[in-house]
Amino acid sequence: MAPLITTEDKLKERIKELTCLYAISSYIANCNIEDINPTIQAIAISLKDAIRFPEDASVEILIEDALFKTGKAPVEKVFILSAIKTFNTPIGSIKIGYSESKYTANSFLNEEKQLLQKVALEIGNLLERKQILENEAITRRQIERTDRLAILGEITAGIAHELNTPLANILGYSELLKEQFVNNTKAINDLEKITNSAIYSREVVKKLMFFSCDMPQQMKVTNIVPIIKDAISLLKPNFIKKNIDCQLQFEDTDIPLRVDAIQLTQVIFNLVINAIYFSPKNGIIKVHVIQNEKDIEIQISDQGKGIDAANSESIFNPFFTTKPVGEGSGLGLSVVHGIVKSHKGSIKHKPNIPKGTIFTINLPKN
């Protein structure tokens, strides 16, 4: 049983509690908000020292799945507990315990219970500040990205319009020159190279115009099942080349949606051809189309190497690519992003367990 506490003991306990609160305030004021674990551990140690019998006490601070503890941890114990809350939602707790064989619930002072509540409140305030700063950082990055994309949209629209005319001239004059060099094989071959390069450049311009949403949309309600099937059928040689199995799954045979059929084909084509590129031989690509009450969800998953965390926020930026030089323009995913946004939808990606990536597109019905 714990000994009776005298007036002198009470005074010493008050000093210990005040010292603890001061130390905890200092820890929180100087906390590295990006890594609060050392601060929480230091708070646990300070709290243990402030208890009446620190040599026999155990302190456990639980925050979501993270546990911070110090001192003895008896199997059977008596304890006091206080909830840690952020924005009035419990996310953890602080527990101080003694061995049940030596102490009882009466061994804790009322002031210690109040101290526990104050520390729980301080930790809750720290976690709220961390959450607010993280949300502000996410919002700031989203705003910066939106601004960049808006500026790039204007720039690329201008570039696309400026390039269309000279590219048309190059193609036209190349065809005229072919007629003049009908019997000159070398010249014809060189002109073919010019023509092919101009056609490739024209395709890049089309992608730029898709990205800038400067191409007129022809929106109408249509069954998207055959559109998706046709887009994937275009890639049959690519599947055969790497012996990849493409598994299509539609929850309904008729999934009506108001879309631009050509642009939806572009979205599916780009995402699936990317999946093929990054998939290993004999891999599996899954395309799953789900019809919900409010929207249509299209999931495209692969078994590739996945997206590095460092590139996670850049993959939809125009001209960003992880492919080797000459194998990608970096416009495919930015085109997809632009088309999906123009349809008032959203596109996200997440890891495919155990490996690969899942792209999820949500297109609203209304």
Side-chain angles (χ1 to χ4, degrees), residues 347-361:
I347 179 169
K348 298 177 181 177
H349 63 85
K350 64 180 180 180
N352 185 21
I353 306 301
K355 61 179 181 178
T357 305
I358 300 175
F359 279 92
T360 301
I361 300 169

Side-chain angles (χ1 to χ4, degrees), residues 13 46 50 59 67 87-88 91-92 94 111 123 128 137 149 156 160 212 215 218 273 290 313 315 354:
E13 292 304 315
S46 291
V59 177
L67 178 63
F87 306 105
N88 294 322
I91 63 162
I94 307 179
E111 290 82 1
I123 294 175
E128 284 182 2
L149 291 176
T156 52
S212 65
M215 296 188 73
Q218 297 188 10
I273 203 167
I290 306 165
E313 296 183 11
I315 62 168

Side-chain angles (χ1 to χ4, degrees), residues 86-317:
T86 57
F87 306 105
N88 294 322
T89 301
I91 63 162
S93 62
I94 307 179
K95 181 191 291 185
I96 300 177
Y98 290 129
S99 173
E100 194 174 44
S101 62
K102 190 175 179 180
Y103 298 93
T104 69
N106 294 328
S107 301
F108 295 102
L109 304 174
N110 288 330
E111 290 82 1
E112 289 175 338
K113 297 174 184 177
Q114 294 171 8
L115 173 66
L116 199 62
Q117 292 171 357
K118 290 177 182 176
V119 174
L121 182 62
E122 290 290 335
I123 294 175
N125 290 338
L126 172 63
L127 295 173
E128 284 182 2
R129 180 157 60 96
K130 183 177 187 294
Q131 190 172 331
I132 289 169
L133 291 174
E134 288 174 348
N135 289 340
E136 286 178 350
I138 291 170
T139 302
R140 184 167 59 252
R141 287 197 296 270
Q142 289 174 341
I143 292 172
E144 289 171 354
R145 172 180 167 76
T146 301
D147 288 344
R148 286 199 306 270
L149 291 176
I151 293 169
L152 281 168
E154 295 177 7
I155 293 171
T156 52
I159 293 172
H161 285 302
E162 291 295 325
L163 288 177
N164 263 336
T165 300
L167 284 174
N169 289 338
I170 291 170
L171 286 169
Y173 283 114
S174 296
E175 293 300 324
L176 289 174
L177 286 170
K178 284 180 185 178
E179 296 177 3
Q180 298 179 27
F181 293 94
V182 171
N183 299 320
N184 189 332
T185 304
K186 186 178 184 304
I188 291 293
N189 289 336
D190 290 340
L191 286 170
E192 281 292 337
K193 292 177 183 178
I194 293 172
T195 301
N196 290 335
S197 295
I199 290 172
Y200 174 81
S201 300
R202 189 176 62 184
E203 291 304 309
V204 172
V205 169
K206 283 184 180 179
K207 290 182 178 181
L208 285 170
M209 294 180 77
F210 270 121
F211 167 71
S212 65
C213 298
D214 198 47
M215 296 188 73
Q217 290 181 318
Q218 297 188 10
M219 306 283 285
K220 65 178 182 178
V221 177
T222 184
N223 180 12
I224 65 170
V225 172
I227 295 175
I228 294 173
K229 286 182 177 179
D230 289 345
I232 292 172
S233 68
L234 294 172
L235 295 167
K236 187 175 180 180
N238 303 69
F239 290 119
I240 294 172
K241 186 177 180 181
K242 295 183 74 172
N243 196 26
I244 290 173
D245 179 21
C246 183
Q247 299 178 357
L248 294 178
Q249 183 179 352
F250 299 93
E251 292 198 345
D252 298 287
T253 55
D254 185 13
I255 303 179
L257 185 67
R258 189 173 182 271
V259 293
D260 182 306
I262 294 175
Q263 291 190 355
L264 179 60
T265 301
Q266 182 89 353
V267 167
I268 302 301
F269 188 90
N270 275 330
L271 288 176
V272 174
I273 203 167
N274 261 4
I276 294 171
Y277 180 89
F278 289 108
S279 289
K281 287 188 176 181
N282 305 314
I284 297 173
I285 294 173
K286 296 181 180 179
V287 180
H288 188 192
V289 184
I290 306 165
Q291 183 170 205
N292 299 313
E293 185 179 343
K294 294 183 178 180
D295 63 8
I296 304 296
E297 184 177 292
I298 304 171
Q299 291 184 355
I300 299 175
S301 62
D302 62 59
Q303 298 175 330
K305 62 181 182 179
I307 298 171
D308 292 339
N311 299 330
S312 178
E313 296 183 11
S314 304
I315 62 168
F316 294 117
N317 290 343

Side-chain angles (χ1 to χ4, degrees), residues 52-89:
R52 189 179 175 194
F53 308 109
E55 66 280 359
D56 294 327
S58 68
V59 177
E60 297 178 4
I61 301 178
L62 178 66
I63 300 173
E64 294 180 331
D65 296 328
L67 178 63
F68 306 86
K69 56 185 180 180
T70 185
K72 295 182 179 179
V75 176
E76 296 181 354
K77 60 185 175 182
V78 291
F79 59 86
I80 53 176
L81 182 73
S82 185
I84 298 173
K85 298 180 180 180
T86 57
F87 306 105
N88 294 322
T89 301

Side-chain angles (χ1 to χ4, degrees), residues 27-63:
Y27 294 147
I28 290 175
N30 297 294
C31 174
N32 176 8
I33 208 71
E34 294 180 358
D35 181 15
I36 65 171
N37 289 356
T39 299
I40 302 299
Q41 187 63 45
I43 289 173
I45 294 169
S46 291
L47 191 54
K48 174 179 169 293
D49 293 338
I51 297 304
R52 189 179 175 194
F53 308 109
E55 66 280 359
D56 294 327
S58 68
V59 177
E60 297 178 4
I61 301 178
L62 178 66
I63 300 173

